Amino acid sequence: MKTNFIQKVAIGCSVLLLFFVSTTQAQTYAENGMVVSDNVIASQVGVDILKKGGNAIDAAVATAFALEVTHPEAGNIGGGGFIVYLNSEGEVTTFDFREKAPLAASPTMFLDENGKIKNNSNHQGLLAVGVPGTVAGLYQAHQKYGKLPWADLVKPSVELAKEGFTMSYGLYNAAVRMTDRDPSEDIMKNYFRGENGQIVKPGETWKQPALAKTLKEIQKHGRDGFYKGWVAQEIEDYMKANGGIITKEDLEKYEAVEREPVKGTFNGYDIYSMPPPSSGGVALIEMMNLMEEANISEVEFNSTAYVHLVAEAMRRAFADRAEFLGDPDFNLDMPLDRLLSKEFAKTRFENLDMTKASISDPAQFGHPYGGDNTTHFSVVDKDGNAISLTYTLENSYGVKMGSSKLGFIFNNEMGDFNPVPGETTTTGQIGSDPNLVAPEKRMLSSMTPTIVAKDGKPYLVIGSPGGRTIINTVFQTVLNVLAYDMRIDRAIEAMKIHHQWLPDRILYEVNLLSPDTREALEKMGHSLTPTTNIGVLMGITYDASKKLYTGASDSSSEDGGARGY
Ligand code: DON
């Protein structure tokens, strides 16, 4: 939680800098490379790969598999996500391994005879599962840009799953919560139990033999170890037996895609982020353009004017997101150039009144906000290659179902499609066309893995979980670093707000807006709702003059941390 921050800085200040790798609790410094993730064991797996001569791609692949083992709430092989990659030449590319709707999917697949969503089926049960993309995405990125052999990158995770690792308090709390759920959520009943049948306690070793076998298959056969052979057969059998529709054909046909990043600028910095099917990059760049237009650095951080301007930018970007964005392979006419342009930012603020909140017209679009159940990590290597990777199962532990023979959990990403064609509500459900279900279509995402570069070198590598709040969390953190000169740990911990067009309200982190500011905003017509925490950021900055990486993990991540060398 953010309230631990001052305490952490105090502890941090008392720790001496040791050699060239050092941590102050709040920040970690390294000269040669760094990984910051939601789990320190996984961060260390990535750094070990860097030390063995691997590049940022190699370290990212190893870290992603390690998070499946150590952070199964969101680390995954049963879900999907995105990579943004800046290489040492200053070139940027992205990998899209977002899940796809199965071949048997349709726009009305979640509806009952009255046109209402049936039993929450877009989030619960196996109809909610999208065809997983993670293994294909990691494999493709490695084939193209990796240096070390694939098998060496999966090996640490096979070992972690087989030999086990020490159960943390954070994971144990989740284990207790997840074990006593709906009995139909099969895998969760035994997932966290040891050989004695009890939930593995903090300090004890948690082993995952079934997952170790699945990972071994992926280690041996790469992409095919997941999408073909006995793993694919077991996925199909499990789906058939439990009401799912994903088949071996779906798995065989799944492909990750390398895509051009979206690019924007802010006061001389280059911002690279994820294009559709994520809405994150487009919305981020639209809002950064609006902030440049508003000359935000002159506006006092956390003041009434700041919150008003930032919330109004969010309101507009989220309306555009809902209206225009979806899978680019199905929406060939998205006006991306317009949304990303500086000219558009000028027109988008034309009706901004600095004394009054705008109104979110319920006839327009919007989207509900999500939780924290995605995971982001940032990686840099000694040559200046950088990776920003966010991947997810959608909800915490995804659909909470999976074959015990395979040992991993499936996503419930189908819930990111617009569930009821044509129905858009003030509470935030959208029914617009670009994001309706279709066979092999990718559902719209908010994940916003981002790299800011200066003169072709990484300047900031950043991302976060949090559903729709991801976009705004990353946006404010980028702003904190670029416009307000905050160091990375402070930028991560600083107050965040969230507005998403509909519902028309500002969420703010509790205790972080003064009563005076709240009153002033309410007088302007804003509706304010406190929330405990927004975002779980994992970031790295690079100081080119000192040749020094500085990393920080959000204090709301219980097991997260930066590791470097
Ligand atoms: O792709 C997305 O935008 C969401 N599936 C992310 C979900 C998330 O961050 C956690 N949320 N509920």
Side-chain angles (χ1 to χ4, degrees), residues 175-482:
V176 172
R177 220 172 44 241
M178 300 312 295
T179 302
D180 301 322
R181 294 177 58 97
D182 179 343
S184 69
E185 292 168 350
D186 50 3
I187 198 173
M188 300 316 304
K189 285 199 300 277
N190 296 314
Y191 193 68
F192 290 108
R193 295 186 197 275
E195 278 162 10
N196 61 4
Q198 304 297 310
I199 299 176
V200 177
K201 297 209 170 44
E204 292 177 354
T205 302
W206 181 37
K207 297 182 183 178
Q208 301 169 77
L211 177 61
K213 248 180 89 197
T214 305
L215 288 172
K216 184 93 202 160
E217 187 70 4
I218 296 167
Q219 183 195 12
K220 263 204 223 147
H221 301 292
R223 180 200 180 281
D224 290 351
F226 186 89
Y227 295 90
K228 291 180 179 171
W230 65 264
V231 172
Q233 184 64 54
E234 176 57 23
I235 293 175
E236 181 178 272
D237 292 350
Y238 176 78
M239 288 281 160
K240 268 196 191 139
N242 295 284
I245 55 174
I246 293 177
T247 61
K248 280 197 293 187
E249 190 186 355
D250 281 306
L251 294 164
E252 186 128 3
K253 285 188 87 173
Y254 183 88
E255 271 177 27
V257 190
E258 187 173 3
R259 298 187 193 275
E260 290 267 306
V262 287
K263 184 185 173 202
T265 60
F266 181 84
N267 293 351
Y269 294 92
D270 296 317
I271 304 171
Y272 298 98
S273 193
M274 199 60 214
S278 182
S279 57
V282 175
L284 169 69
I285 288 165
E286 181 179 338
M287 291 192 285
M288 291 304 292
N289 286 340
L290 286 168
M291 291 301 102
E292 197 177 62
E293 183 64 24
N295 207 2
I296 191 73
S297 346
E298 303 295 310
V299 180
E300 190 186 337
F301 179 72
N302 212 1
S303 62
T304 306
Y306 169 88
V307 176
H308 178 63
L309 264 173
V310 164
E312 291 300 334
M314 292 171 175
R315 184 199 301 279
R316 285 160 179 73
F318 270 78
D320 296 333
R321 165 195 193 275
E323 186 165 359
F324 297 115
L325 302 183
D327 183 341
D329 298 339
F330 286 72
N331 296 281
L332 302 176
D333 53 356
M334 287 187 291
L336 292 192
D337 290 344
R338 188 167 129 243
L339 294 175
L340 294 170
S341 71
K342 302 276 183 198
E343 294 71 44
F344 182 65
K346 285 196 173 69
T347 61
R348 212 61 185 90
F349 256 4
E350 259 165 15
N351 59 358
L352 178 87
D353 184 337
M354 276 309 288
T355 65
K356 223 165 83 200
S358 310
I359 290 173
S360 293
D361 180 351
Q364 304 255 4
F365 303 118
H367 214 281
Y369 65 94
D372 295 338
N373 313 312
T374 298
T375 189
H376 175 83
F377 63 88
S378 298
V379 182
V380 287
D381 68 20
K382 64 176 174 22
D383 298 318
N385 300 299
I387 293 278
S388 187
L389 188 154
T390 315
Y391 68 158
T392 186
L393 292 169
E394 162 63 354
N395 286 149
S396 182
Y397 298 94
V399 75
K400 298 156 193 79
M401 294 179 76
S403 160
S404 307
K405 288 188 196 142
L406 298 174
F408 70 88
I409 298 160
F410 289 112
N411 69 83
N412 57 347
E413 219 75 57
M414 293 293 282
D416 276 353
F417 278 116
N418 297 349
V420 188
E423 190 173 288
T424 297
T425 66
T426 49
T427 52
Q429 183 178 289
I430 312 179
S432 59
D433 287 349
N435 191 35
L436 295 180
V437 186
E440 294 195 85
K441 191 174 180 179
R442 293 179 151 96
M443 54 298 279
L444 186 65
S445 173
S446 299
M447 290 187 279
T448 316
T450 296
I451 298 178
V452 177
K454 181 86 182 154
D455 305 323
K457 300 259 169 297
Y459 186 79
L460 168 67
V461 188
I462 194 79
S464 174
R468 260 52 67 182
T469 68
I470 294 173
I471 305 172
N472 291 333
T473 305
V474 171
F475 161 53
Q476 289 165 93
T477 310
V478 172
L479 209 55
N480 290 346
V481 173
L482 301 192

